[in-house]
Amino acid sequence: MRSLQPLRLLFYPLRVPHALLIHLRYARLASVRSCSCSAPPPQDNNPSLLNPTTVNPPTPIVDHRALGTALDLFSTSRFSPGSPLFHPNGAHIFQKLQAFLRAQYITFGFQEVITPTIYKKSLWEQSGHWENYKNDMFEVTGRGAAGGIEDGKRIEIGEDEKYGLKPMNCPGHCLLFKSQKRSFRDLPIRYADFSALHRNEISGALSGLTRVRRFHQDDGHIFCRPSQIGEEIEKTLQFVGLVYATFRLGPYKLVLSTRPKDQFMGKVEDWDRAEAQLGEALDKSGRKWEVNEGDGAFYGPKIDIILKDSDGKEHQTATIQLDFQLPQRFGLTYQAPAPDLESQGLTTTDPELLAHSGDVTPVIIHRAILGSLERFMALLIEHYKGRWPFWLSPRQGIILVVGDDKRVLDYAEKVVDSVNHLNKTSDKLRPRPLDAANFAIDIDSSGRSVAKKIAEAKSKRYNFIFVVGLKEAAAETLMLDMTGQPHTKRVMDILKALPLSELKLENHRAIEMKSRDLQGIMQLLCNNFL
């Protein structure tokens, strides 16, 4: 195996106010959240047994649960254990994560789909999940069955049927693939899905956003020809690298998890072939990798991406899983010439062999880049410690109004409307374009002193703090304090390169600028993921 230097990413020390630290509880993130397609995690809670790379990893200085409460991101309720309630600030971050991934899907050829939340028990029996995963599923009862046979007995019309809330998306995506006749020319087909998933975790294991019963995956399934496996895995690893570099996360390692000793589907020789293909793809990636014996999903081996954060903790986030079993269980096929060779991932130019076409079973590659969005948010909360990059921040800016002159408040409101391209003076209401700007800029027009307003704005982690009075309103300028913006030096360098003669950048705590330039500057930060 060849190795390269790990992805080199910069980390900037972030300070947390002492008053907040007093209330923070020290806790490691809960045990690994597997991808939507994987088997239940091991019950052994000893973290040293799973993909060890650190000895006695340091305890983080912040807990995402306390910081999430302090920043008004989410809360939990005894009426919905394991199902967090996202507040507007938390929903803003959650939706930004989804929007970011959606923007990348066109590059990597994914099409987003929407699938049901509940399916009949018979579907889960066909997929093998009822046998291997039943204890981790929520079972529900339908009303007014249409009749049929279930558990060897006839169900009369009107009787109730058993259903299961989906803990994963793969069976539904198999139904989508099977809904049409497929040719080898159609493959690969790549589906992406953000549907809510449910897993019946034991109550004692529930914790904040890291161990939940209802969650969302950036779930994807690639239906491909056997000959396309290596290329698809390579592209997926590129996707992982792109995303983690954007969030400035790392380093990470690659781990090949192999066939479980007892609970697995299919033939041993199929597993051996799948593991060999994944190992070959990992070798071609040029990154160092290792083997985690017996930790594969019950239907196939997988590649786990183990991320080490700035506090030294390890997280299994992304996953890539190869599956030869599920396509067989669902009878998935596509038409291809020389089917015998095609099924082995081989090609030929022999016209006699190519003259004959037949059915071939595709391979499924399960992939998740972030994994559980809830759990990834917990990681980011602790990683950024409340100082969100501007593009992701739920509190991008606040305008502090000095005095009680109505002209100043009107000017502040005009600035907010201008950066978001709002025209509230028009008599005719028009729909906003889908790509319209939507910056999170608040206004504080309370009668408190400017010093108190600034102190509160900093405690709430606003990236930009603007102060405007009569002078600024008359000149249509803004005074900007950028203390809350991460990577301030890099941002200042970008601003200095702009052809804006009226932008005064001597001090990042007191930047004088024209209000007309604000929208362009904020869009520039978002485009550069700062």
Side-chain angles (χ1 to χ4, degrees), residues 35 116 126 157 184 197 239 272 348 353 358 416 495:
C35 119
Q126 182 177 358
I157 294 177
F184 72 97
L197 305 174
F239 199 170
D272 292 342
T348 181
L353 294 175
V416 174
L495 296 183

Side-chain angles (χ1 to χ4, degrees), residues 9-16 29 60-65 67 71 243-251 307-313 315 375-389 392 461 486-487:
L9 302 175
L10 296 177
F11 291 92
Y12 292 76
L14 303 175
R15 294 183 178 274
V16 178
L29 282 177
I61 63 169
V62 292
D63 183 336
H64 80 278
R65 294 168 295 183
L67 198 52
L71 298 179
V243 170
Y244 287 7
T246 302
F247 287 99
R248 292 172 172 79
L249 296 172
L307 173 72
K308 185 184 292 185
D309 67 17
S310 56
D311 292 320
K313 289 190 307 176
H315 312 264
R375 187 171 181 275
F376 194 78
M377 272 190 64
L379 188 157
L380 292 181
I381 290 169
E382 295 190 0
H383 176 66
Y384 293 134
K385 299 175 177 63
R387 289 188 65 190
W388 297 95
L392 196 56
R461 309 295 208 285
H487 316 308

Side-chain angles (χ1 to χ4, degrees), residues 227-267:
S227 60
Q228 296 170 331
I229 290 174
E231 181 182 359
E232 290 303 311
I233 291 176
E234 183 180 348
K235 288 180 179 179
T236 304
L237 290 173
Q238 291 173 355
F239 199 170
V240 171
L242 172 71
V243 170
Y244 287 7
T246 302
F247 287 99
R248 292 172 172 79
L249 296 172
Y252 63 88
K253 68 177 182 180
L254 305 174
V255 178
L256 173 58
S257 297
T258 59
R259 172 173 51 86
K261 290 183 179 180
D262 301 317
Q263 200 173 31
F264 66 91
M265 297 191 311
K267 299 177 182 179

Side-chain angles (χ1 to χ4, degrees), residues 184-462:
F184 72 97
R185 295 183 179 88
D186 300 325
L187 274 56
I189 293 174
R190 307 177 187 93
Y191 292 137
D193 199 330
F194 285 111
S195 299
L197 305 174
H198 294 80
R199 295 183 183 175
N200 195 9
E201 305 281 2
I202 59 175
S203 59
L206 302 177
S207 177
L209 299 180
T210 61
R211 202 67 177 179
V212 292
R213 287 175 171 165
R214 181 182 185 270
F215 62 100
H216 302 75
Q217 297 271 6
D218 64 312
D219 215 354
H221 293 94
I222 303 168
F223 297 81
C224 66
R225 303 164 64 185
S227 60
Q228 296 170 331
I229 290 174
E231 181 182 359
E232 290 303 311
I233 291 176
E234 183 180 348
K235 288 180 179 179
T236 304
L237 290 173
Q238 291 173 355
F239 199 170
V240 171
L242 172 71
V243 170
Y244 287 7
T246 302
F247 287 99
R248 292 172 172 79
L249 296 172
Y252 63 88
K253 68 177 182 180
L254 305 174
V255 178
L256 173 58
S257 297
T258 59
R259 172 173 51 86
K261 290 183 179 180
D262 301 317
Q263 200 173 31
F264 66 91
M265 297 191 311
K267 299 177 182 179
V268 173
E269 51 266 32
D270 289 339
W271 278 82
D272 292 342
R273 179 160 55 95
E275 290 168 9
Q277 288 175 298
L278 288 182
E280 183 179 351
L282 287 168
D283 284 339
K284 290 181 178 179
S285 74
R287 296 188 62 89
K288 185 178 179 180
W289 61 278
E290 59 190 63
V291 176
N292 189 5
E293 294 286 353
D295 197 50
F298 63 85
Y299 51 79
K302 60 178 180 174
I303 298 172
D304 288 328
I305 285 77
I306 309 298
L307 173 72
K308 185 184 292 185
D309 67 17
S310 56
D311 292 320
K313 289 190 307 176
E314 290 193 335
H315 312 264
Q316 185 242 304
T317 49
T319 188
I320 307 166
Q321 302 178 2
L322 202 58
D323 190 345
F324 292 99
Q325 312 301 329
L326 211 58
Q328 295 177 15
R329 282 181 165 258
F330 278 87
L332 305 183
T333 60
Y334 65 94
Q335 282 281 310
D340 291 339
L341 292 177
E342 174 74 16
S343 63
Q344 301 175 55
L346 304 176
T347 59
T348 181
T349 57
D350 187 330
E352 290 188 17
L353 294 175
L354 294 174
H356 170 65
S357 294
D359 289 337
V360 181
T361 302
V363 177
I364 295 179
I365 300 175
H366 309 257
R367 74 101 187 101
I369 305 300
L370 304 185
S372 160
L373 267 66
E374 284 81 355
R375 187 171 181 275
F376 194 78
M377 272 190 64
L379 188 157
L380 292 181
I381 290 169
E382 295 190 0
H383 176 66
Y384 293 134
K385 299 175 177 63
R387 289 188 65 190
W388 297 95
F390 186 88
W391 74 274
L392 196 56
S393 176
R395 289 171 170 161
Q396 293 173 315
I398 186 170
I399 300 177
L400 310 181
V401 175
V402 179
D404 55 3
D405 193 301
K406 188 176 183 302
R407 289 173 294 177
V408 181
L409 178 58
D410 289 345
Y411 172 64
E413 292 175 347
K414 177 184 175 182
V415 170
V416 174
D417 291 348
S418 175
V419 297
N420 287 315
H421 296 305
L422 293 174
N423 184 8
K424 295 180 179 178
T425 60
S426 174
D427 294 332
K428 187 174 182 180
L429 186 63
R430 297 179 181 275
R432 301 191 71 207
L434 295 178
D435 60 349
N438 187 21
F439 295 107
I441 309 296
D442 297 324
I443 297 175
D444 184 350
S445 59
S446 64
R448 297 173 299 163
S449 68
V450 174
K452 288 184 177 180
K453 291 182 181 181
I454 291 175
E456 182 181 78
K458 289 184 176 181
S459 71
K460 290 183 175 181
R461 309 295 208 285
Y462 280 96

Side-chain angles (χ1 to χ4, degrees), residues 402 411 467-479 512 515:
V402 179
Y411 172 64
V467 178
V468 298
L470 280 172
K471 175 185 173 183
E472 287 76 22
E476 295 192 337
T477 60
L478 298 164
M479 188 61 69
E512 187 175 347
S515 60

